[in-house]
Amino acid sequence: FGAAQGPLSAIGVIGLGVMGSSICLNFAENAKCRVSGFDIAEEKASAVEARANEEGDLPVVTFTDMRAFVRSLDRPRRVVLLVPAGKAVDAALSQVSALLSQGDVVVDMGNEWFKITEERMERMEAKGILYMGCGISGG
């Protein structure tokens, strides 16, 4: 995993656990666009591609290399973050933001205390990256 082929993806999803894998496939099926997924675990990345193929050859490509993941995205890049709150978000955000450009967008769909979300928004704003907190998990 990690070699982009074909057209660029309209959106990227970081974190291919239960929720991330489902939203990745949902985007591909219902928005009818190519979607890139990223996870540090190769087994999660390969499972999403397998499900995409089983569910109708959906346009999903997955990566375990962050640089290749970011290169696979159309500009301005749109990234959905679905990793556990706390240190995992900070680690993923640090890694991806180093590769993003001014005008790119990160939507954090995990649940986080609003003060932490506001701090992350300020850090990303300084880089010209739009960061939005949009928690979807009921916990």
Side-chain angles (χ1 to χ4, degrees):
F1 297 91
Q5 296 178 355
L8 296 174
S9 293
I11 193 162
V13 178
I14 295 177
L16 299 176
V18 173
M19 292 180 69
S21 62
S22 293
I23 204 163
C24 189
L25 296 168
N26 193 315
F27 283 142
E29 182 176 15
N30 295 306
K32 309 271 189 259
C33 63
R34 185 172 191 256
V35 180
S36 290
F38 171 86
D39 203 286
I40 57 174
E42 189 171 316
E43 61 274 7
K44 288 183 181 179
S46 62
V48 170
E49 281 199 18
R51 267 187 66 195
N53 290 330
E54 291 167 10
E55 294 182 17
D57 200 24
L58 298 175
V60 173
V61 60
T62 61
F63 300 87
T64 55
D65 177 86
M66 185 67 78
R67 187 173 302 279
F69 166 76
V70 170
R71 279 195 310 256
S72 77
L73 302 174
D74 197 12
R75 292 176 188 245
R77 298 177 190 103
R78 294 159 293 272
V79 176
V80 171
L81 202 53
L82 265 165
V83 298
K87 291 181 181 181
V89 173
D90 288 328
L93 189 56
S94 175
Q95 192 177 8
V96 73
S97 69
L99 301 169
L100 295 178
S101 302
Q102 188 171 1
D104 291 342
V105 178
V106 176
V107 180
D108 182 358
M109 296 185 100
N111 286 332
E112 187 64 83
W113 187 46
F114 76 99
K115 291 286 188 188
I116 294 173
T117 297
E118 289 173 350
E119 290 170 5
R120 290 178 181 145
M121 286 172 59
E122 289 175 13
R123 283 198 317 267
M124 294 302 102
E125 185 177 17
K127 296 181 176 192
I129 298 167
L130 176 60
Y131 176 89
M132 300 183 309
C134 183
I136 61 169
S137 174

